[in-house]
Amino acid sequence: MDTRPTGTRPAAPTSGQRTLMLTLATFGFALNFWAWALISPLGTRFKDSLGLSTFQQSLLVAVPVIVGSLGRIPVGALTDRYGGRVMFPLVSAATIVPVLYLGLVGHSSLPELLIGGFFLGIGGTSFAIGVPFVNGWFPPERRGTAIGVFGAGMGGTAISALTTVNLAKSHGVAAPFVVTAIVLAVYAVVALALLRDAPGRTVPTEPLARRLGGALRLRATWQASALYAVAFGGYVAFSVYLPTYLKTAYGLQPADAANRMAGFVLLAVLMRPVGGWLSDRTSPVRVLSWALGVVAVAALLQGFTPPLAPFGTVAFLTMAAALGTGSGATFALVALVAPTNRVGSVTGVVGAAGGLGGFVPPLAMGALYGSYHSYAAGLAALTAVAVAAAVFTATRVRSVVRA
């Protein structure tokens, strides 16, 4: 229900206003994702210092992912109700607490790290704030591109990969956490001062449970969730597990592996707006079908563990580009099919599916390698899933969009 007084018409937003809001939302997403990904680059360090098994290391980096993913469901619904102006500063400020805990006192044992990682997942919920916030500021024909640009904020994981290990090595393990906490605090203040919700935003009055139920009854929610679990889930899985994979499969040093992970992340980030832009000009279904097909081919090639230079590098970078493109196209699809007053709720569910899609592969890769000393089975499974998702997109999802 629209709670604006009858007879009033909000002024149309200017291009400058839209750009400012998109920029602030993207920075907020990137900074929270930076915090969300702090544990992964230090996973090898914690494994060595605490004597963790491969599975325990995988669990350590996966816990923030699952909490941040499931947390998107209520956060998305709350964003429908309270708007991004309230939720962005709130989530950013709340994320500071586990960041400081991990940096100052919570990194000397596995239980402490798991507790800190659990609450660090709060930062991962920021995605469910930004999509409905940005969606409200842009007209339908530009939403795919705008949400794709916002989605580039997932590059916060690249910031973490590039800075965390070096800061910890130079200034101690607390340093990257303290720096991140300071940056989040600055952003929370700036966001509180400058963020504004879109003019004429429809504020739902239904209870949260009813709104979530309505989102779950939409067939488009489940279809987009399945696709995002593959596209963004694949990105998350490799962004958190790639340093471990490269160290184990190719013997790289932690800093080198983290830098290569940053390259993977950066390319995926740059391709996400491209996926949205292509979807605005063609069709999100077409873009998704091609992207998922490319993921399948690249994963199949990497399953043979080819030499890292050049074949392994090309396979992973191709996969990164395709996963980024597919992630951008998925939310162009959400913007196309989700009711305006349920975008946050739908985004929460779809975003949760994407994060959960990234939770399982690191655990599976660690377990499979521990049993067979090979990653081939895990990459073969990714190939099969990507092929199935591409076929599903080209058939079932295409019919819904046309309807």
Side-chain angles (χ1 to χ4, degrees):
M1 179 182 296
D2 191 340
T3 60
R4 288 183 286 113
T6 58
T8 64
R9 182 183 297 274
T14 65
S15 177
Q17 288 175 319
R18 288 179 175 138
T19 300
L20 176 61
M21 294 303 111
L22 177 57
T23 301
L24 288 170
T26 303
F27 269 104
F29 179 33
L31 296 178
N32 278 279
F33 252 43
W34 176 6
W36 193 38
L38 279 170
I39 291 179
S40 175
L42 297 174
T44 301
R45 179 185 181 125
F46 292 138
K47 180 178 186 291
D48 294 338
S49 64
L50 300 177
L52 305 181
S53 68
T54 302
F55 179 79
Q56 287 174 324
Q57 182 186 356
S58 300
L59 180 64
L60 180 61
V61 300
V63 164
V65 173
I66 190 170
V67 175
S69 303
L70 292 175
R72 292 174 187 178
I73 298 175
V75 168
L78 288 170
T79 302
D80 278 342
R81 178 67 180 85
Y82 296 105
R85 185 189 182 194
V86 170
M87 295 300 294
F88 257 126
L90 181 62
V91 165
S92 300
T95 303
I96 294 172
V97 178
V99 168
L100 287 178
Y101 166 79
L102 284 165
L104 300 179
V105 297
H107 57 262
S108 59
S109 71
L110 179 60
E112 288 176 347
L113 285 167
L114 290 175
I115 291 170
F118 180 91
F119 290 100
L120 194 64
I122 294 170
T125 67
S126 58
F127 179 75
I129 303 171
V131 171
F133 177 81
V134 171
N135 191 77
W137 274 100
F138 286 84
E141 66 275 9
R142 295 178 58 191
R143 284 175 182 162
T145 302
I147 294 174
V149 170
F150 165 76
M154 68 187 189
T157 54
I159 301 174
S160 181
L162 290 170
T163 62
T164 301
V165 173
N166 291 332
L167 282 170
K169 185 181 296 184
S170 301
H171 305 287
V173 71
F177 296 92
V178 172
V179 170
T180 306
I182 292 171
V183 175
L184 280 172
V186 171
Y187 174 77
V189 172
V190 172
L192 189 62
L194 298 181
L195 276 182
R196 298 291 182 272
D197 290 309
R201 184 176 76 89
T202 301
V203 180
T205 56
E206 293 178 310
L208 185 146
R210 185 177 299 175
R211 283 184 281 125
L212 285 176
L216 291 172
R217 285 192 293 271
L218 295 172
R219 182 168 55 168
T221 300
W222 293 104
Q223 292 181 336
S225 294
L227 297 175
Y228 203 56
V230 179
F232 185 71
Y235 161 80
V236 170
F238 281 112
S239 67
V240 300
Y241 196 72
L242 196 54
T244 301
Y245 177 94
L246 292 173
K247 182 177 183 296
T248 305
Y250 291 102
L252 299 187
Q253 294 300 310
D256 189 11
N259 288 337
R260 290 173 185 269
M261 183 196 97
F264 179 97
V265 169
L266 180 61
L267 182 56
V269 166
L270 292 175
M271 292 304 295
R272 184 157 181 157
V274 174
W277 179 80
L278 288 172
S279 297
D280 281 344
R281 280 150 183 78
T282 57
S283 160
V285 169
R286 182 177 301 171
V287 175
L288 266 167
S289 299
W290 278 100
L292 291 166
V294 171
V295 169
V297 173
L300 179 63
L301 292 175
Q302 186 57 36
F304 294 98
T305 317
L308 190 57
F311 300 108
T313 299
V314 170
F316 272 118
L317 291 180
T318 300
M319 203 183 308
L323 291 169
T325 301
S327 297
T330 302
F331 272 92
L333 178 67
V334 170
L336 185 67
V337 300
T340 302
N341 64 339
R342 296 193 188 276
V343 171
S345 300
V346 173
T347 295
V349 176
V350 176
L356 291 174
F359 174 73
V360 176
L363 296 178
M365 294 283 273
L368 287 169
Y369 188 86
S371 299
Y372 302 106
H373 300 286
S374 171
Y375 289 116
L379 288 161
L382 174 59
T383 300
V385 169
V387 169
V391 173
F392 177 72
T393 303
T395 55
R396 300 292 297 275
V397 178
R398 183 184 298 277
S399 67
V400 172
V401 172
R402 285 177 174 173

